[in-house]
Structure formats: C-alpha cells, structure tokens
Amino acid sequence: MEPTKVFDLLSDFASFPKYSKVVHAVSLKCSSAFDRISSWEVAFAAGTLKWQERDHLDYQIRRIDFELIEGDLLHLEGHWSVSSVVEGSVVQFEASFDLGVPGLADLLEPIAGQAMLETITVMLSGVFGSTAEVIHSQDFSVPFLEQGDAHP
C-alpha cells in the first residue's frame, strides 16, 4: 500500500477500537492540522489504563510523535512512522513507558510491553488487512526510571 495512504489510516487513532478488543476507546481533540490530544482507554490486567497524550503529526515525513500529558502511566512517549519500500510501506512503532509501580517494574513492565506489542499487532493487521506482515523487535528488559529508556 502507498505510504501516504498507510499514514492516513494509521493516524486515525479513533478507529483503533474496532480493530482490537483491548482498545476500549480513543477520542481525538485537534488543536491544529498537526497537533492534537488523544484520550485512550485500554484494557490492562484486570482493569483499564486511561491516559491523554499529545500527538504531533508530520505529514511530510509521515511520522506521529506522542507524549503523555496525564493519566494512569507515569511516563509514555514514542512515535509511529511510515516509510516507503519497494513492496509498499513499512510502519515502525517505538515507545518508552513507565507504569509507575516501583518494586514491581521488573515484573509488570515486560508484561505491559508484551501486551502493547500484541495489541499493536492485532490493530495493524485489522487496519491493513490479513496480508500485512508484522515483524517484532522489542526490548522489555530495562525499566525506564531505573536504568534509562525501555523500547517495547
């Protein structure tokens, strides 16, 4: 699929709940064509994580940078990007996060990272169809606050 079309589909966060039962709701409030606030409700463990993030969309380089404003997480930042390849497009997702649970970070954050990876895989397959190839590369081993950025 052509990268601009991929970026348009990917930037439609509000549609994500229809592709994954883990994402309960996403609402968008735009302050400009390039900046918006997205509010998320996502299933995690026996409850729901809720947060708001600031999203900056750069249509020219097909990249969405996001950062936590407030919510159940202590830290969240990262980006989505779309690049062109001979076969069509490649979507990349990178994020660092901290659940803010000292002492349990070594246990919970790898689980949260795996849950994030599984949710993104399901969403990308839903958004782009069953022929989309999803390749995983992750590092859940270093909690953000204890030893630097973790990139699930």
Side-chain angles (χ1 to χ4, degrees):
M1 187 180 295
E2 192 267 323
T4 301
K5 176 68 174 163
V6 169
F7 185 79
D8 289 344
L9 290 169
L10 184 64
S11 63
D12 182 14
F13 291 171
S15 72
F16 284 9
K18 69 182 174 183
Y19 300 115
S20 172
K21 63 182 177 184
V22 174
V23 180
H24 294 170
V26 181
S27 61
L28 302 174
K29 185 187 320 178
C30 296
S31 56
S32 76
F34 306 102
D35 294 298
R36 66 185 185 196
I37 305 298
S38 55
S39 300
W40 295 75
E41 293 183 21
V42 177
F44 179 69
T48 302
L49 286 176
K50 297 179 183 181
W51 72 91
Q52 283 189 332
E53 64 185 46
R54 180 173 291 106
D55 304 319
H56 176 75
L57 288 75
D58 188 325
Y59 294 91
Q60 191 169 23
I61 63 170
R62 295 182 300 269
R63 180 175 164 126
I64 305 167
D65 291 295
F66 58 88
E67 65 180 332
L68 181 70
I69 297 172
E70 65 180 7
D72 296 335
L73 301 161
L74 182 62
H75 169 83
L76 174 66
E77 68 180 1
H79 74 268
W80 294 90
S81 62
V82 178
S83 54
S84 179
V85 294
V86 173
E87 299 83 8
S89 301
V90 171
V91 173
Q92 181 179 9
F93 173 81
E94 290 188 27
S96 63
F97 67 92
D98 186 324
L99 296 173
V101 186
L104 294 177
D106 289 341
L107 175 66
L108 291 179
E109 290 183 2
I111 294 168
Q114 187 62 41
M116 182 185 295
L117 181 64
E118 290 169 5
T119 298
I120 289 167
T121 299
V122 169
M123 284 187 326
L124 290 175
S125 295
V127 170
F128 300 111
S130 60
T131 60
E133 181 181 2
V134 179
I135 300 169
H136 303 146
S137 174
Q138 71 232 18
D139 177 5
F140 303 139
S141 62
V142 184
F144 173 78
L145 282 181
E146 294 178 18
Q147 299 176 15
D149 287 348
H151 293 283

